[in-house]
Amino acid sequence: MRYEGIVYRPPSEARSLILQLTIGCARNECTFCNMYKDKKFRIRNLDEVVEDMIMAKKYYMFDIERVFLADGDALIVKTRDLLYIIDKIHEILPTVNRITAYGAPKDVLAKTPEELETLQKAGLDMVYMGAESGSDKVLKAVKKNATQAEIIAAGQKLKAAGLKSSITLISGLGGIENLEEHAVESAKVISAIKPEYASLLTLLIEPGTPLHEQWKAGEFHPLEGPDAIFKEMTLFLQNIDSEGTVFRANHASNYIPLAGTFNKDIPMLLAQIDQAVKNRTFRPDTFRQL
Ligand code: SF4
């Protein structure tokens, strides 16, 4: 396989074939993100993507069952071309039974309900949408290029088209000043979409990002340590109403691994947080990573 630059994928795509349909992120402005800073965005030549499938078929020693379309936002690709690639995946890799991709809220909204339904029927199963926050104040501060209303509308549009969604949020993204707002508004987004999956990462300020510069200049005040992060997370969980959503906060950036299903497991998740805070059983900062 040939890959351009560092390739990122959601943790749950660890066993998937990663196919780079685009290179980099079309927006690449979020102040906390350094994933695609070294890549100039472009949509790849579709023939090259098909060649990658043929190579994978040749070299993989096992049947490929899952494909994740990378890089940052494959949904920006025209529906006609996405359908072509999905058809080719089924033709060349007939054992594939799940195809997923990242999708930015604006690119989901740019597609008509009919286009999304056609993609779902063709075999696109799930879209990973990085909401990061539900607070317009925080979204604006981190230059996410999406509002709460857009994120909710995009999530609901995916659901109406029969597409599953996985929404990611980042604990601590609003800093100390926005702890409450970030928690409550983020819960509002999840409760309004009721996605199949929701996950929480914990903010790590990456060197080389604008957020790192803001922090060094004293313009961003992070939540210091696990107590503040868990105060925010507790507030988030207390405001959730999203029956059936599978929740994960078990990423390497999190202080403790949490997993459960909303709403039934919220009391259990809150109890686990309380216990960790009481017993001081956290993943040390040196082991936390993105
Ligand atoms: S967080 Fe997502 S949208 Fe923002 S710059 Fe990174 S890859 Fe692009």
Side-chain angles (χ1 to χ4, degrees):
M1 290 296 294
R2 45 190 179 180
Y3 288 113
E4 207 171 305
I6 299 173
V7 177
Y8 296 90
R9 49 130 184 100
S12 49
E13 298 296 333
R15 301 171 74 83
S16 306
L17 167 68
I18 313 294
L19 271 183
Q20 275 181 306
L21 182 52
T22 65
I23 302 295
C25 166
R27 299 184 172 84
N28 224 358
E29 285 182 342
C30 302
T31 61
F32 56 87
C33 175
N34 67 355
M35 292 204 294
Y36 303 113
K37 291 287 182 264
D38 57 338
K39 294 184 186 179
K40 191 168 179 313
F41 177 78
R42 71 171 205 280
I43 295 170
R44 279 182 81 204
N45 177 306
L46 298 188
D47 292 339
E48 282 178 22
V49 182
V50 173
E51 281 169 23
D52 282 359
M53 293 178 207
I54 296 167
M55 276 185 216
K57 166 109 180 150
K58 219 170 180 177
Y59 295 118
Y60 275 52
M61 308 292 285
F62 51 85
D63 288 341
I64 298 167
E65 294 185 351
R66 295 177 167 202
V67 170
F68 174 71
L69 300 174
D71 275 336
D73 179 17
L75 276 206
I76 202 167
V77 174
K78 281 192 188 113
T79 301
R80 183 197 59 202
D81 293 345
L82 274 170
L83 289 170
Y84 171 74
I85 289 297
I86 291 171
D87 279 353
K88 282 289 177 190
I89 291 171
H90 289 311
E91 182 192 316
I92 297 166
L93 307 166
T95 48
V96 167
N97 55 38
R98 175 177 131 135
I99 302 171
T100 54
Y102 281 131
K106 280 203 166 64
D107 293 322
V108 173
L109 293 176
K111 300 222 180 283
T112 64
E114 293 73 29
E115 286 180 294
L116 291 173
E117 270 172 42
T118 309
L119 286 167
Q120 189 274 334
K121 286 196 182 111
L124 182 65
D125 286 282
M126 181 160 78
V127 173
Y128 292 90
M129 199 161 67
E132 332 303 358
S133 176
S135 152
D136 279 334
K137 201 171 161 192
V138 176
L139 290 165
K140 193 171 174 205
V142 301
K143 300 194 175 166
K144 182 63 197 175
N145 194 24
T147 62
Q148 182 194 71
E150 286 172 330
I151 294 168
I152 291 174
Q156 291 177 341
K157 200 169 178 181
L158 289 172
K159 184 162 260 201
L163 283 157
K164 292 184 199 133
S165 64
S166 178
I167 313 287
T168 307
L169 298 154
I170 304 178
S171 290
L173 190 63
I176 291 171
E177 292 85 349
N178 298 306
L179 183 152
E180 218 166 283
E181 159 140 1
H182 177 52
V184 173
E185 297 302 309
S186 296
K188 211 179 269 178
V189 162
I190 297 300
S191 303
I193 298 174
K194 303 195 185 343
E196 280 69 20
Y197 300 93
S199 57
L200 264 184
L201 311 179
T202 299
L203 180 68
L204 286 167
I205 304 177
E206 293 289 302
T209 59
L211 190 65
H212 190 262
E213 294 306 311
Q214 289 168 0
W215 172 55
K216 280 203 311 197
E219 294 159 11
F220 177 76
H221 308 116
L223 269 56
E224 298 287 1
D227 292 283
I229 289 291
F230 284 126
K231 185 177 171 195
E232 187 183 87
M233 213 180 273
T234 297
L235 201 51
F236 168 75
L237 290 170
Q238 285 169 340
N239 281 274
I240 287 284
D241 177 10
S242 186
E243 198 61 49
T245 296
V246 173
F247 172 72
R248 295 281 180 268
N250 53 6
H251 188 258
S253 63
N254 296 117
Y255 281 106
I256 57 165
L258 291 170
T261 301
F262 295 153
N263 294 332
K264 69 179 176 69
D265 291 335
I266 292 176
M268 179 266 287
L269 295 165
L270 290 171
Q272 285 181 3
I273 290 175
D274 273 353
Q275 196 161 358
V277 169
K278 218 173 280 163
N279 299 337
R280 315 307 293 166
T281 46
F282 310 124
R283 179 179 279 140
D285 276 321
T286 40
F287 291 114
R288 291 173 54 236
Q289 54 185 308
L290 285 174

